[in-house]
Amino acid sequence: MENLLGGIEAGGTHFVCAVGNSPENIKDQTSFLTTTPRKTMETVINFFRPHKNITGIGIGSFGPVDLDKNSSTYGMITTTPKKDWRNVNILEITKSSLDIPVNIDTDVNAALLAEHKWGNAKNKDNVIYITVGTGIGGGAILNGKLIHGLSHPEMGHMKIPRNSNDNFEGVCEYHRDCLEGLASGKAIEKRLKENITNHDKTIWEFESQYLGIAISNLILSMSPQRIVLGGGVLNHEGLIDDVRIQTLKSLNNYVYMDEIISDIDSYILPPYLGDNAGVLGAILLAK
Amino acid sequence: MENLLGGIEAGGTHFVCAVGNSPENIKDQTSFLTTTPRKTMETVINFFRPHKNITGIGIGSFGPVDLDKNSSTYGMITTTPKKDWRNVNILEITKSSLDIPVNIDTDVNAALLAEHKWGNAKNKDNVIYITVGTGIGGGAILNGKLIHGLSHPEMGHMKIPRNSNDNFEGVCEYHRDCLEGLASGKAIEKRLKENITNHDKTIWEFESQYLGIAISNLILSMSPQRIVLGGGVLNHEGLIDDVRIQTLKSLNNYVYMDEIISDIDSYILPPYLGDNAGVLGAILLAK
């Protein structure tokens, strides 16, 4: 009998649940909007309940999440801007409702694991994954393993210099104009709504500039062999190309590596698994 | 017979050479100013020549250095602002002059190795070392090993937001006002010289603010268990305390970990081995 696992991609905007064990072998899958913790988790539990044959569930969650197994709040979502979800222990709810082993990591780390096994991070021991959706998240595999350290990275909240023509105040509750505050999907939505003096074009120029600076900061900090750049915002036409150009501009030939200078199109790549990276990675977390 | 090794800390301002195998067992040591490559390397070779009993030499070098063992320029200093030293192959010179195995890494990675073995990074699998001297460098041990990836980190060149009252143009040749451009020893020297309108106090306020933002960016990027902060600039009285405060201010309680929030004095520490971390780490590189 084949070993089937459950995966939950717990995103700030929507949840995806699946049962299977590889991109080619997904037995069942569903996705739905993230609403209140009670309603959302009820839908999750109802999806998995009939699947009596799964041996474990992995969760890739929006965060920050307490990932310290020795902590009394292990598995809990902590200082998230989504107030309803603060202090919700998504791991405990899943485990106690379904009476099954459950493992948890961030949504970005899950997506990175899947890209590392089956996608554009394959065979790379040092790779960074960035996702630009409602929020901005990042994860890294360094020396062959996900980095955790004290907890998990929160790359989206790094501070970067602003364009001097950008008067947008920023949307981050904690840092106002950190990367997420300036360049997340939430920020873009607000920028487009407020936009009076600027053309939309300018908003997307800021977007590529900020992401390029952030990526160059990450290159300078960790020297990765590749960067996978995903998330809904990257569906904007031409954005990934502009981010590549802005990354090179920000580095300004200082990190003089052929892999970057001569081959930026293969250095910064979208996720090979597309929107499925998250839930497939959650399945890997269950293993 | 005990196994003796050679270590070279090749700094932008001065070189340190030593023979030994631990902090308690240094048989010979010298330091001198960094001048032209020819003169400097001659002094290095003359120091080691009488030490017939050493079995290998490690170099911790200022950079960037080509660390790719398959590269034709392995061991070469590349895009350094020190123009004399561009394209000098410090590894080859040492190896061919002394006919001995030589290993190389960055000066910061060397210092970090020593702190990891004997100092304030001991027993930490995830730790960042930052040095603020003439330039600013950084290295990281993540998942128990130095990170290399494509090459080595160049954390000093990350871009950070400027204080709106700071009109200093910056001294980085590649990026003008990156962290190194704004907050390195070279930048401070120029700021103090140019200073007309500001009190010196303001310069040091900018310094702690910029280092605090940079460290918070690194925490958000890598979630380290500890940060070791060294280099000559940190000898300025009270600076490390101000950097601790500014790091917390920049994080603004978003990364809500006890190790940071409640115990910042043990989270950001000076190197235990002080000025000797670099050359001791170079000895470890020889092993």
Side-chain angles (χ1 to χ4, degrees), chain A residues 163-174:
Chain A
N163 185 303
S164 57
N165 297 317
D166 184 9
N167 302 312
F168 184 65
E169 59 180 349
V171 298
C172 175
E173 266 187 44
Y174 286 85

Side-chain angles (χ1 to χ4, degrees), chain B residues 234-248:
Chain B
L234 268 295
N235 293 328
H236 185 79
E237 206 193 318
L239 181 58
I240 195 165
D241 279 327
D242 292 341
V243 172
R244 287 171 177 140
I245 292 164
Q246 292 295 328
T247 302
L248 288 178

Side-chain angles (χ1 to χ4, degrees), chain B residues 59-265:
Chain B
I59 307 175
S61 176
F62 70 97
V65 195
D66 182 350
L67 298 182
D68 176 4
K69 290 189 184 179
N70 300 314
S71 157
S72 62
T73 54
Y74 172 59
M76 190 179 273
I77 293 170
T78 59
T79 48
T80 172
K82 294 180 76 74
K83 288 192 182 120
D84 273 9
W85 284 84
R86 272 184 208 164
N87 304 324
V88 170
N89 197 320
I90 187 169
L91 174 122
E92 275 306 322
I93 297 169
T94 311
K95 203 161 131 182
S96 61
S97 308
L98 294 166
D99 194 24
I100 193 171
V102 182
N103 189 22
I104 191 165
D105 208 319
T106 64
D107 45 1
V108 207
N109 275 347
L112 172 53
L113 275 184
E115 284 293 314
H116 190 244
K117 186 159 178 86
W118 296 301
N120 278 333
K122 208 171 160 175
N123 301 325
K124 302 281 179 200
D125 269 353
N126 300 281
V127 57
I128 295 175
Y129 189 104
I130 302 153
T131 177
V132 188
T134 313
I136 299 182
I141 286 180
L142 295 172
N143 289 322
K145 279 164 53 184
L146 284 173
I147 56 167
H148 280 110
L150 262 195
S151 175
H152 58 79
E154 280 288 350
M155 300 179 190
H157 291 267
M158 78 162 77
K159 295 207 166 90
I160 52 161
R162 304 174 62 123
N163 185 303
S164 56
N165 297 317
D166 183 9
N167 302 312
F168 184 65
E169 60 181 349
V171 299
C172 175
E173 264 186 48
Y174 286 86
H175 314 112
R176 202 170 47 86
D177 61 353
C178 64
L179 178 66
E180 178 163 308
L182 292 174
S184 62
K186 202 175 158 189
I188 292 172
E189 203 180 327
K190 197 161 181 219
R191 283 177 184 276
L192 289 169
K193 210 180 283 170
E194 286 179 0
N195 204 9
I196 301 159
T197 51
N198 287 327
H199 293 290
D200 287 1
K201 193 166 161 279
T202 315
I203 292 179
W204 291 104
E205 281 166 5
F206 292 155
E207 183 69 15
S208 61
Q209 189 187 4
Y210 294 148
L211 292 176
I213 292 172
I215 290 175
S216 85
N217 276 357
L218 294 170
I219 294 171
L220 291 161
S221 300
M222 288 177 267
S223 192
Q225 294 158 297
R226 178 164 286 172
I227 287 169
V228 180
L229 180 58
V233 170
L234 268 295
N235 293 328
H236 185 79
E237 206 193 318
L239 181 58
I240 195 165
D241 279 327
D242 292 341
V243 172
R244 287 171 177 140
I245 292 164
Q246 292 295 328
T247 302
L248 288 178
K249 194 173 164 200
S250 181
L251 289 172
N252 196 26
N253 286 338
Y254 182 70
V255 178
Y256 206 81
M257 307 293 298
D258 270 348
E259 292 86 342
I260 300 176
I261 305 285
S262 320
D263 203 13
I264 192 78
D265 291 354

Side-chain angles (χ1 to χ4, degrees), chain A residues 29 34 39 88 94 98 100 103 130 135 159 191 205 239 281:
Chain A
Q29 180 160 339
T34 310
K39 275 197 198 163
V88 170
T94 311
L98 294 165
I100 193 171
N103 189 21
I130 302 153
K159 294 206 166 93
R191 283 176 184 277
E205 281 167 6
L239 181 58

Side-chain angles (χ1 to χ4, degrees), chain A residues 196-240:
Chain A
I196 301 159
T197 51
N198 287 327
H199 294 287
D200 287 1
K201 193 166 161 277
T202 315
I203 292 179
W204 291 102
E205 281 167 6
F206 291 156
E207 182 69 16
S208 60
Q209 189 187 8
Y210 295 147
L211 292 176
I213 292 172
I215 289 175
S216 85
N217 276 357
L218 294 170
I219 294 171
L220 292 160
S221 300
M222 289 176 263
S223 192
Q225 294 158 297
R226 177 163 287 171
I227 287 169
V228 180
L229 181 57
V233 171
L234 268 296
N235 293 329
H236 185 78
E237 206 193 319
L239 181 58
I240 194 165

